[in-house]
C-alpha cells in the first residue's frame, strides 16, 4: 500500500522549537516583544517596505487596511470574485459594497482591462489579489488608481517573497497584506502582516491595531499616558507565533528554492499532456517573479476536473479545487450578482485543480502524481 500524498505540509526548519522554548524559559510571552519586532524588521529590511505591522492573520491586516481607507456606507471597492472570502469580508464589514470584476485566463488575477468600466463616483479603492504568488498587472492598476484618485490595497496573502518590477508584492499599492497561515509558504499557524507604503497611514494603523489607543506612542515615550483615541480592535499576533515565524522567515530562500524545484518538476513532466491539449498548466509571465505558492492545472471541463480529482483521491493523492466564486455564492447574490455575470471566473474556477506542492514532497511522490494524471486523462478517450 502506497502512502498518502497530502496537498500541503508546512516545512519545519528546526529552529522554531528553540525560539519558542527560550520564550517559555524566560517567561517572555507578552505581545510585541523581541520576535514580533524581529519579524517586522526582517520584512521591512529584506523587502524595502516602509512599515510592516505584524497581525494575527491576513484577514486582520485586510480589515485594518480597509479601516484606514475610512469608507462610508454606499462606497464601492473593486475586487475579483475569484478570491478568498476575507478580501470581500473586509469591504463588507466596513459597510461598503464589493464590486466584482472578472479575471484573466492566464494568471487568474483581476482583468485590469475591465476595471475602468466598473468605476463609479462611489468607487474608493481597488483591491487586487495576487493569485498563486504571481503579480497582478500592477502598472496598469496603479495608473487607473492614480487617474481616478483611488487607494490600492493589495491582497498579497499569497505574495510574500514574490516580485513585480523588482518590488515585493504588498509594496506596490498604498497598503498590502501578507498571510502566514499554515497553508501559505512561510508559516506561523495563524499570522499576517500589514504593509504600509505611504507614511500618512502609519500612526493611525498603530492605533487601530492597539484597540484604538495610542499605546505605541506611549511606549516610545512620546506621550506620558495612553488612552482611547480612535476606533480599533486587537489585531496583534501572539509573541509565540512570531517566534515560530522568525525561524521560517530566516529560511525563506531555502523554502522558496525547494518550492521552485517542485513547481518546475511538474511543468517539465506535465508538458507532454499540455502538448496533447489534455490540460493547461499554470505559468509565470516572464516579467515577474513568483514564490511558487500554487501549481494548478486547468482541465477541459468541470466533469474532467471532478473525475481527475476523484481518481487522484482513490490513489491516495490529495489535489484540490479552489475558490467558489464569491459573486455566485449566497452572500454574492445578496449584492445582486448572478453566476453568469463573470463568465471567466465561473468557467476557470470549475476547471481548476491544484496539485500537491510543499518543500518536502519527494520526486517519487511527484512522479506518482504525474503518472496518475496521465493515466486518467489518457483513458478519457482523448488519446492522440
Ligand atoms: C489565505 C488568504 C487570505 C487569508 O489569510 P489568513 O491569514 O488566513 O487570514 C486572504 N486572502 C487570500 C487571497 C488568501 O489566499
Amino acid at each position: 500500500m502506497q502512502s498518502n500524498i497530502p496537498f500541503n505540509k508546512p516545512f519545519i526548519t528546526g529552529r522554531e522549537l528553540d525560539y519558542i522554548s527560550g520564550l517559555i524559559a524566560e517567561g517572555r510571552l507578552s505581545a510585541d516583544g523581541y520576535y514580533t519586532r524581529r519579524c517586522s524588521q526582517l520584512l521591512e529590511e529584506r523587502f524595502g517596505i516602509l512599515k510592516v505591522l505584524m497581525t494575527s492573520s491576513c484577514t486582520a491586516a485586510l480589515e485594518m487596511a480597509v479601516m484606514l481607507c475610512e469608507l462610508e456606507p454606499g462606497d464601492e471597492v473593486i475586487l475579483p470574485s475569484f478570491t478568498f472570502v476575507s478580501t470581500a469580508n473586509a469591504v463588507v464589514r466596513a459597510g461598503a459594497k464589493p464590486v466584482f470584476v472578472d479575471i484573466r485566463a492566464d494568471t487568474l488575477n483581476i482583468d485590469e482591462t475591465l476595471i475602468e468600466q466598473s468605476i463609479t463616483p462611489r468607487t474608493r479603492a481597488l483591491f487586487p489579489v495576487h493569485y498563486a504568488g504571481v503579480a497582478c498587472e500592477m502598472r496598469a492598476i496603479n495608473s487607473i488608481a492614480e487617474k481616478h484618485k483611488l487607494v490600492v490595497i493589495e491582497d498579497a496573502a499569497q505574495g510574500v517573497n514574490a516580485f513585480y518590477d523588482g518590488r515585493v508584492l504588498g509594496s506596490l499599492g498604498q497598503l498590502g497584506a501578507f498571510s502566514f497561515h499554515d497553508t501559505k509558504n512561510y508559516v506561523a499557524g495563524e499570522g499576517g502582516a500589514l504593509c504600509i507604503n505611504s507614511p500618512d497611514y502609519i500612526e493611525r494603523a498603530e492605533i487601530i491595531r492597539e484597540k484604538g489607543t495610542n499605546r505605541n506612542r506611549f511606549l516610545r515615550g512620546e506621550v506620558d499616558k495612553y488612552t482611547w483615541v480612535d476606533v480599533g480592535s486587537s489585531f496583534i499576533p501572539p509573541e509565540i507565533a512570531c517566534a515560530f515565524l522568525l525561524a521560517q522567515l530566516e529560511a525563506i530562500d531555502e523554502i522558496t528554492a525547494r518550492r521552485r524545484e517542485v513547481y518546475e518538476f511538474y511543468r517539465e513532466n506535465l508538458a507532454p499532456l499540455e502538448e496533447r491539449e489534455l490540460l493547461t498548466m499554470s505559468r509565470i509571465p516572464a516579467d515577474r517573479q513568483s514564490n511558487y505558492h500554487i501549481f494548478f492545472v486547468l482541465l477541459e471541463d468541470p466533469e474532467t476536473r471532478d473525475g481527475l480529482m476523484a481518481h487522484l483521491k482513490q490513489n491516495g493523492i490529495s489535489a484540490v479545487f479552489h475558490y467558489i466564486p464569491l459573486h455566485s455564492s449566497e452572500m454574492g447574490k445578496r449584492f445582486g450578482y448572478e453566476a453568469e455575470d463573470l463568465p471567466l471566473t465561473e468557467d476557470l474556477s470549475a476547471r481548476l485543480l491544484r496539485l500537491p506542492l510543499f518543500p518536502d514532497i519527494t520526486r517519487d511522490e511527484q512522479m506518482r502524481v504525474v503518472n496518475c494524471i496521465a493515466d486518467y486523462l489518457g483513458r478519457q478517450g482523448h488519446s492522440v
Side-chain angles (χ1 to χ4, degrees):
M1 186 62 199
Q2 285 174 316
S3 61
N4 287 344
I5 304 176
F7 172 66
N8 180 48
K9 200 171 103 200
F11 180 70
I12 302 300
T13 71
R15 279 189 304 278
E16 291 85 351
L17 197 54
D18 291 345
Y19 290 175
I20 290 174
S21 58
L23 277 181
I24 294 170
E26 294 164 35
R28 288 189 286 125
L29 295 185
S30 50
D32 274 340
Y34 173 79
Y35 287 106
T36 307
R37 284 197 303 275
R38 285 288 300 124
C39 285
S40 53
Q41 275 165 7
L42 186 150
L43 293 166
E44 286 167 3
E45 284 162 19
R46 180 180 172 112
F47 297 131
I49 302 171
L50 177 65
K51 185 79 184 171
V52 173
L53 297 179
M54 304 309 295
T55 58
S56 48
S57 66
C58 180
T59 301
L62 293 168
E63 289 184 10
M64 285 179 69
V66 173
M67 285 175 83
L68 287 166
C69 295
E70 300 183 79
L71 301 180
E72 286 167 12
D75 283 347
E76 296 172 2
V77 176
I78 291 178
L79 71 161
S81 160
F82 186 70
T83 181
F84 191 58
V85 288
S86 294
T87 330
N89 270 324
V91 174
V92 174
R93 292 198 68 196
K97 181 183 177 216
V99 174
F100 296 116
V101 165
D102 216 349
I103 50 175
R104 298 169 55 102
D106 56 355
T107 56
L108 312 190
N109 285 330
I110 190 165
D111 185 339
E112 74 288 355
T113 66
L114 300 177
I115 291 176
E116 271 196 295
Q117 68 195 48
S118 298
I119 292 176
T120 75
R122 299 307 306 262
T123 308
R124 297 289 308 279
L126 303 181
F127 217 151
V129 178
H130 304 294
Y131 185 67
V134 174
C136 296
E137 307 298 314
M138 289 307 291
R139 248 166 278 137
I141 290 169
N142 279 336
S143 76
I144 293 167
E146 224 165 280
K147 182 169 150 199
H148 296 273
K149 302 202 167 26
L150 308 173
V151 181
V152 174
I153 304 171
E154 298 170 77
D155 182 337
Q158 303 173 21
V160 183
N161 201 37
F163 299 84
Y164 180 86
D165 275 350
R167 289 165 61 196
V168 78
L169 307 189
S171 74
L172 295 129
Q174 280 87 347
L175 297 159
F178 288 156
S179 176
F180 304 110
H181 187 268
D182 74 0
T183 53
K184 302 301 199 285
N185 285 19
Y186 324 101
V187 304
E190 290 276 353
L194 177 68
C195 305
I196 305 174
N197 310 309
S198 163
D200 310 342
Y201 292 111
I202 296 176
E203 187 179 338
R204 185 143 183 268
E206 286 183 341
I207 289 168
I208 289 175
R209 181 174 172 272
E210 268 287 7
K211 300 106 184 156
T213 73
N214 55 354
R215 183 163 181 269
N216 284 91
R217 294 194 63 196
F218 168 72
L219 293 174
R220 286 195 296 263
E222 295 166 15
V223 288
D224 61 5
K225 53 182 172 303
Y226 80 86
T227 173
W228 189 21
V229 294
D230 203 338
V231 62
S233 189
S234 181
F235 294 112
I236 302 172
E239 176 75 350
I240 286 186
C242 290
F244 192 102
L245 181 62
L246 184 66
Q248 296 266 315
L249 294 178
E250 287 171 347
I252 205 163
D253 290 322
E254 183 190 352
I255 295 171
T256 312
R258 284 173 173 245
R259 297 188 76 96
R260 178 183 178 155
E261 281 175 29
V262 175
Y263 186 101
E264 288 177 350
F265 187 88
Y266 278 137
R267 274 200 63 86
E268 214 169 286
N269 289 280
L270 290 169
L273 295 177
E274 191 173 65
E275 272 157 38
R276 290 167 62 196
E277 296 181 2
L278 295 176
L279 52 72
T280 308
M281 298 186 284
S282 58
R283 50 173 40 77
I284 303 160
D287 66 346
R288 64 207 76 176
Q289 201 178 323
S290 174
N291 59 14
Y292 311 97
H293 178 56
I294 290 171
F295 186 92
F296 65 81
V297 292
L298 293 167
L299 288 311
E300 188 173 302
D301 49 44
E303 296 69 40
T304 309
R305 191 276 305 269
D306 293 345
L308 174 59
M309 189 163 67
H311 179 70
L312 289 165
K313 192 170 175 205
Q314 274 163 18
N315 286 275
I317 297 165
S318 174
V320 292
F321 54 86
H322 214 173
Y323 310 122
I324 308 297
L326 297 181
H327 76 279
S328 59
S329 68
E330 218 173 291
M331 245 329 244
K333 288 192 183 123
R334 283 200 235 160
F335 288 98
Y337 285 95
E338 289 170 33
E340 311 78 63
D341 292 344
L342 303 174
L344 273 180
T345 298
E346 279 295 315
D347 172 46
L348 297 168
S349 61
R351 295 193 288 116
L352 177 134
L353 192 64
R354 292 178 292 159
L355 304 186
L357 198 178
F358 49 92
D360 284 334
I361 191 170
T362 66
R363 283 295 150 93
D364 283 352
E365 288 173 323
Q366 278 197 279
M367 221 42 233
R368 253 177 73 199
V369 176
V370 169
N371 289 335
C372 202
I373 294 172
D375 173 48
Y376 183 80
L377 296 181
R379 277 200 272 122
Q380 292 302 298
H382 294 292
S383 50
V384 175

